């Protein structure tokens, strides 16, 4: 539902996209064993919003508010790859 700022940085540096529920009530609508599909990740990262669909058909929106640098780190696969590729 939310992240501490340092945890967001750690996720991004590891190449993991941090997402939060746009509507926190959607969390309670998911089954514990639901399989989730995230589509259009690159476009969604640019827009700051993605749609996630559960295997039972329930779809909901998540937010991923990123800076340009954070987006570049994620697209590189994490901070190590980003740095290796010459990013700063």
């Amino acid at each position: 539902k939310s992240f501490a700022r340092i945890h967001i940085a750690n996720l991004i540096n590891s190449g993991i996209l941090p997402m939060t529920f746009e509507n926190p009530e959607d969390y309670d609508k998911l089954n514990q064993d639901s399989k989730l599909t995230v589509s259009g990740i690159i476009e969604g990262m640019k827009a700051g919003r993605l749609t996630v669909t559960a295997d039972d058909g329930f779809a909901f929106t998540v937010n991923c508010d990123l800076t340009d640098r954070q987006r570049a780190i994620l697209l590189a696969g994490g901070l190590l790859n980003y740095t290796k590729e010459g990013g700063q």
Side-chain angles (χ1 to χ4, degrees):
K1 295 180 186 177
S2 66
F3 293 102
R5 188 177 61 207
I6 190 69
H7 187 55
I8 289 173
N10 289 338
L11 289 171
I12 291 169
N13 290 342
S14 297
I16 300 169
L17 177 62
M19 300 178 285
T20 56
F21 288 90
E22 184 172 89
N23 178 4
E25 294 170 3
D26 288 341
Y27 176 83
D28 296 321
K29 297 177 184 175
L30 292 170
N31 296 319
Q32 184 174 359
D33 59 349
S34 290
K35 294 184 182 174
L36 306 177
T37 302
V38 183
S39 302
I41 294 173
I42 294 173
E43 296 82 13
M45 284 172 51
K46 291 177 185 174
R49 296 176 68 211
L50 294 112
T51 300
V52 179
T53 306
D55 54 357
D56 64 1
F58 174 61
F60 55 96
T61 304
V62 294
N63 296 318
C64 60
D65 188 27
L66 304 167
T67 66
D68 290 339
R69 183 173 186 273
Q70 290 171 327
R71 193 176 306 109
I73 291 170
L74 286 165
L75 291 173
L79 184 59
L80 183 61
N81 289 340
Y82 176 75
T83 304
K84 246 174 42 177
E85 294 172 3
Q88 295 182 8

